[in-house]
């Protein structure tokens, strides 16, 4: 009955603002875990009248003047649906054979490559060429309740998620798959609550990640899947590290827009999104180009005009607009940070991001001291 009522009163959001509840309750005393986006928002809007585009609409959008950049409605709507557990979602018509769970129990291989999860976990770690160029495994390692590019991979269902969450072996392997991908990106899992840091090979891997932008879509999927399969608490530490590297240290500058437009908004608790966005706005340069809030009426006086971005100077293509980050030193790959200019005081503890979001940690995952 609850799902029926929710379906009756749900209507598609038609603007970015209707998709984003991050700043609905913007007070420091409200920063607690009870403010997640869950269920259907009470503030609904008329149905969308135009079909969203696909990957092209993931690019920054410009107004008629071609000087003011807007947030992507495609991204905002996609992540709104994810955070609200896919309202109006219809379960697949095919019988649910729990294919994702059986894959993680090592009972069936991924298709079309016919590879079992144990082989991936034991033989693929450190094989960065294979992880980079194989495009069929990611949908199996990090399943979602939405169809990916591998049509052989099956969407998660609510029933399968419940079974997955109650199966320790599956959760153990899932977390090992997460550490496998972290290593591929030059990141290491530190502890039982999801804190992460640079791995020993971070210089090489960050340089690759900064240039291999198809991995940005993979990271969005990984973050979504963490939330579906019991590891919501692991998202914020990863997003915080990537944000710090992209915005403050200058090691992943090409990733910054994906972090702010996608990764932050995979996080369900609004308080954590606010914390990350306040941190980002504090260090974003120039400050008046920051697109992600808080709304102007909540900013202090003298916050400056609305967000402005300039076109990419080479060619004037609006889809290649770049944010006006503080220029980074080109030689910042050595130990000691690789920070660009103007980043003093740009790092902080992620402790506050852990509070109030609980996730079970599987003890069998090996951690280095």
């Amino acid at each position: 009955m609850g799902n029926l009522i929710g379906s009756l009163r749900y209507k598609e959001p038609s603007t970015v603002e209707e998709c984003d509840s991050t700043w609905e309750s913007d007070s420091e005393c409200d920063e607690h875990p009870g403010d997640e986006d869950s269920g259907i928002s009470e503030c609904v809007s008329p149905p969308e009248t135009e079909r969203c585009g696909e990957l092209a609409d993931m690019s920054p959008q410009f107004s008629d003047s071609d000087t003011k950049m807007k947030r992507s409605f495609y991204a905002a709507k996609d992540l709104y649906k994810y955070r609200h557990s896919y309202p109006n979602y219809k379960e697949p018509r095919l019988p649910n054979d729990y294919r994702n769970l059986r894959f993680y129990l090592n009972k069936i291989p991924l298709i079309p490559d016919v590879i079992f999860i144990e082989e991936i976990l034991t033989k693929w770690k450190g094989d960065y060429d294979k992880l980079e160029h194989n495009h069929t495994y990611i949908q199996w390692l990090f399943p979602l309740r939405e169809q990916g590019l591998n049509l052989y991979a099956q969407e998660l269902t609510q029933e399968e998620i419940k079974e997955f969450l109650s199966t320790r072996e599956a959760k153990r392997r899932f977390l090992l798959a997460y550490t496998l991908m972290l290593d591929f990106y030059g990141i290491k899992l530190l502890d039982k609550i999801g804190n992460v840091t640079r791995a020993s090979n971070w210089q090489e891997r960050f340089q690759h990640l900064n240039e291999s932008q198809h991995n940005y879509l993979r990271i969005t999927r990984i973050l979504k899947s963490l939330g579906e399969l019991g590891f919501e608490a692991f998202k914020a530490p990863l997003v915080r590290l990537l944000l710090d590297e992209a915005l403050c240290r200058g090691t992943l500058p090409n990733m910054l827009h994906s972090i702010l437009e996608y990764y932050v908004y995979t996080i369900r608790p609004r308080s954590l999104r606010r914390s990350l966005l306040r941190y980002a706005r504090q260090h974003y340069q120039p400050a008046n180009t920051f697109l992600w809030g808080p709304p102007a009426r909540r900013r202090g006086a003298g916050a400056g005009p609305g967000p402005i971005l300039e076109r990419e100077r080479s060619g004037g293509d609006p889809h290649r607009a770049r944010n006006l980050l503080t220029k980074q030193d080109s030689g910042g790959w050595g130990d000691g940070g690789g920070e660009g200019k103007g980043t003093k005081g740009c790092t902080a503890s992620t402790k506050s991001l852990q509070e109030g979001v609980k996730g079970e940690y599987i003890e069998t995952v090996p951690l280095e001291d």
Side-chain angles (χ1 to χ4, degrees):
M1 180 62 72
N3 290 337
L4 176 61
I5 294 175
S7 297
L8 290 175
R9 68 188 183 89
Y10 171 74
K11 294 182 180 180
E12 293 278 356
S14 58
T15 66
V16 170
E17 291 73 21
E18 290 169 355
C19 294
D20 184 4
S21 63
T22 303
W23 302 101
E24 279 184 2
S25 179
D26 182 21
S27 61
E28 295 300 330
C29 63
D30 183 54
E31 306 267 320
H32 57 76
D35 65 344
E36 312 80 277
D37 283 333
S38 58
I40 308 303
S41 173
E42 295 296 333
C43 300
V44 294
S45 59
E48 181 191 8
T49 57
E50 297 183 1
R51 183 177 180 270
C52 289
E54 297 299 330
L55 293 180
D57 283 341
M58 296 167 64
S59 302
Q61 300 174 4
F62 285 76
S63 68
D64 293 339
S65 66
D66 280 344
T67 57
K68 294 184 179 181
M69 192 179 108
K70 301 184 296 182
R71 286 177 54 191
S72 165
F73 174 63
Y74 174 89
K77 182 180 175 182
D78 173 70
L79 295 165
Y80 171 88
K81 289 182 176 180
Y82 166 75
R83 294 194 308 271
H84 291 80
S85 299
Y86 302 94
N88 279 7
Y89 173 79
K90 295 181 180 179
E91 298 285 351
R93 293 182 180 180
L94 296 175
N96 187 357
D97 59 0
Y98 293 174
R99 193 178 301 175
N100 298 291
L101 177 59
R102 290 165 61 209
F103 169 70
Y104 262 104
L105 293 177
N106 210 43
K107 293 181 177 180
I108 62 171
L110 70 81
I111 305 296
D113 295 340
V114 193
I115 302 171
F116 284 85
I117 181 64
E118 274 301 311
E119 179 179 349
I120 294 174
L121 297 178
T122 57
K123 296 183 179 180
W124 285 31
K125 186 172 183 179
D127 192 341
Y128 299 143
D129 285 340
K130 183 172 290 185
L131 291 169
E132 173 68 20
H133 297 295
N134 185 305
H135 299 287
T136 60
Y137 70 90
I138 197 72
Q139 293 87 7
W140 286 85
L141 287 190
F142 301 98
L144 300 175
R145 293 175 61 197
E146 55 190 73
Q147 184 62 56
L149 296 178
N150 183 351
L151 299 181
Y152 294 101
Q154 192 175 73
E155 300 171 38
L156 280 171
T157 65
Q158 290 179 324
E159 290 183 2
E160 186 174 24
I161 289 172
K162 291 178 182 178
E163 289 295 323
F164 200 106
L165 293 177
S166 64
T167 308
R168 189 174 182 84
E169 181 182 356
K171 293 188 70 175
R172 177 185 67 83
R173 288 198 177 107
F174 178 77
L175 204 51
L176 285 170
Y178 178 54
T179 62
L180 173 77
M181 295 306 296
L182 288 181
D183 175 75
F184 174 55
Y185 296 135
I187 300 169
K188 180 174 68 173
L189 183 65
L190 284 176
D191 55 32
K192 302 177 182 180
I193 56 175
N195 281 313
V196 289
T197 190
R198 291 171 169 178
S200 59
N201 61 346
W202 70 270
Q203 296 177 340
E204 171 196 348
R205 301 315 304 160
F206 282 9
Q207 188 168 18
H208 173 81
L209 183 57
N210 190 55
E211 299 167 356
S212 178
Q213 298 185 23
H214 78 94
N215 278 292
Y216 302 173
L217 297 173
R218 290 176 168 182
I219 293 172
T220 300
R221 168 175 281 271
I222 290 169
L223 289 165
K224 286 181 175 181
S225 192
L226 285 169
E228 296 284 33
L229 296 177
F231 294 93
E232 177 71 29
F234 282 52
K235 293 181 189 177
L238 176 60
V239 176
R240 176 55 183 268
L241 179 141
L242 295 174
L243 183 61
D244 187 60
E245 295 291 348
L247 180 60
C248 299
R249 298 179 182 271
T251 55
L252 298 170
N254 292 336
M255 187 185 278
L256 182 58
H257 186 269
S258 293
I259 297 168
L260 292 170
E261 193 81 334
Y262 285 88
Y263 303 168
V264 168
Y265 290 95
T266 67
I267 297 171
R268 290 189 170 109
R270 289 193 292 264
S271 60
L272 296 185
R273 298 202 300 273
R274 290 195 293 268
S275 177
L276 288 163
L277 291 173
R278 287 193 181 103
Y279 173 77
R281 187 169 184 270
Q282 180 181 358
H283 302 290
Y284 198 94
Q285 294 296 327
N288 65 348
T289 67
F290 191 74
L291 296 170
W292 298 272
R297 66 181 180 275
R298 290 177 182 160
R299 296 177 187 165
I308 306 292
L309 275 86
E310 70 173 2
R311 281 190 180 188
E312 184 73 37
R313 291 188 177 91
S314 57
D317 182 354
H319 292 296
R320 298 178 60 206
R322 60 180 172 184
N323 46 40
L324 303 179
L325 293 174
T326 303
K327 294 186 180 293
Q328 308 291 342
D329 290 332
S330 59
W333 291 103
D335 290 334
E339 292 89 344
K341 296 177 181 179
T343 61
K344 182 178 180 181
C346 199
T347 57
S349 171
T350 59
K351 180 179 180 181
S352 62
L353 299 179
Q354 301 296 337
E355 296 175 353
V357 183
K358 297 180 180 179
E360 180 186 357
Y361 182 81
I362 309 302
E363 292 288 352
T364 49
V365 175
L367 295 175
E368 298 178 17
D369 293 333

